Amino acid sequence: MPETEKIALLIDCDNVSHNSIEGVLEELAKYGMVNVRHAHGDWNSPSLSGWITKLHPNAIRPMQQFAYTKGKNATDSAMIIDAMDLLHSKTVDAFALMTSDSDFTPLVLRILESGMPVYGFGERKTPQPFVDACSLFIFTENLALEREEKADAPPAQANKKSKNELRQDTALVKLLRTAAEQTAEDDGWSSLGRVGSYISNNSSFSSINYGYKKLGDLIRASELFHIEMRKDGVVMYIRDNRK
């Protein structure tokens, strides 16, 4: 059995809501064990009161950073130092950064250069450079566990895009079609597994950002491809429906 990937989750509490932390941890569980959980911020600040209630239930360690100078974000520097210490400790296999601040983009690039993936989580206001730099990026609004959500509408489905909305997203359509084309076998069909791997290696795409838990569900909804279930109906294969 392969070893479980060890993930370090670093949270910029000044720039991201506490409402989605459970969803973030559930998502990261798909990739490995989150053995480091550090929440950075000035814990004397009333604005972090919501985060305080989330620390113990989710086994998150608060990292205190005083605001020494007004207008300067000392939390960013402390979080970067923490990340570099962990990187050189060789005790983790991947990083997850929960922030909406594009100032962490150089940190993402540095971690990627070391051969480790970076999973990004931030609000929809997150600047595109940070989103694009991450190995995978998910908007926290899609993971938020709000009390106001309807019981029959899970967060991942609340913002589900329709077929027309998916097709009008030209960047998404190009990404899906390119992935299918580049991974096609001699018969013109591509396995969903290879399509997913190609997308992961080339972008920060996540089907969750479109309201679908799985890539296969999004592809079905888009109706951009012919679909065949092979190997006793277990493996999905797709082919561009323009062909």
Side-chain angles (χ1 to χ4, degrees):
M1 177 181 292
E3 292 186 9
T4 300
E5 187 173 74
K6 296 184 289 294
I7 304 172
L9 170 61
L10 305 184
I11 307 169
D12 175 13
C13 296
D14 294 334
N15 286 297
V16 71
S17 170
H18 63 279
N19 289 324
S20 60
I21 183 59
E22 289 88 353
V24 168
L25 291 171
E26 289 173 4
E27 181 65 23
L28 288 174
K30 298 177 182 178
Y31 306 100
M33 175 182 66
V34 186
N35 63 314
V36 176
R37 305 179 184 190
H38 291 175
H40 289 263
D42 183 354
W43 296 97
N44 294 321
S45 173
S47 64
L48 298 189
S49 60
W51 271 109
I52 291 176
T53 65
K54 298 288 187 176
L55 298 178
H56 291 301
N58 294 292
I60 299 172
R61 178 182 174 188
M63 309 293 284
Q64 171 64 25
Q65 180 56 52
F66 295 102
Y68 295 114
T69 305
K70 186 176 182 179
K72 299 293 184 180
N73 195 341
T75 298
D76 287 10
S77 298
M79 189 163 145
I80 290 171
I81 292 172
D82 188 17
M84 296 310 295
D85 285 344
L86 288 166
L87 180 65
H88 292 294
S89 73
K90 301 185 185 301
T91 57
V92 297
D93 306 304
F95 282 81
L97 302 182
M98 192 173 174
T99 180
S100 302
D101 190 345
S102 65
D103 289 345
F104 289 104
T105 303
L107 174 62
V108 174
L109 298 177
R110 175 63 183 85
I111 295 171
L112 292 174
E113 288 176 357
S114 296
M116 296 185 187
V118 180
Y119 309 116
F121 299 90
E123 298 171 8
R124 289 197 176 274
K125 65 182 181 181
T126 306
Q128 199 62 36
F130 180 77
V131 173
D132 292 340
C134 293
S135 308
L136 169 101
F137 189 91
I138 296 177
F139 293 116
T140 54
E141 287 88 345
N142 293 321
L143 298 173
L145 300 178
E146 298 285 0
R147 298 297 182 186
E148 295 80 9
E149 289 284 355
K150 295 180 180 179
D152 60 347
Q157 297 180 1
N159 298 313
K160 183 176 289 186
K161 303 296 183 183
S162 67
K163 178 184 75 173
N164 290 336
E165 289 174 316
L166 294 174
R167 290 188 166 200
Q168 289 169 5
D169 188 330
T170 55
L172 172 65
V173 172
K174 180 179 180 181
L175 176 64
L176 295 177
R177 282 179 167 159
T178 299
E181 179 181 353
Q182 293 297 321
T183 59
E185 299 177 3
D186 292 341
D187 60 1
W189 290 82
S190 308
S191 71
L192 183 64
R194 293 188 63 189
V195 170
S197 295
Y198 181 91
I199 291 174
S200 297
N201 291 335
N202 288 276
S203 73
S204 59
F205 167 88
S206 172
S207 59
I208 292 175
N209 291 333
Y210 299 88
Y212 296 87
K213 289 186 177 181
K214 298 180 179 179
L215 174 61
D217 294 336
L218 184 150
I219 286 178
R220 287 184 186 277
S222 73
E223 298 184 12
L224 291 169
F225 301 92
H226 297 297
I227 295 174
E228 278 190 6
M229 300 303 296
R230 301 181 180 179
K231 300 181 180 179
D232 296 326
V234 175
V235 181
M236 179 187 290
Y237 276 75
I238 65 174
R239 187 180 68 183
D240 194 328
N241 62 14
R242 298 176 301 177
K243 299 179 179 179

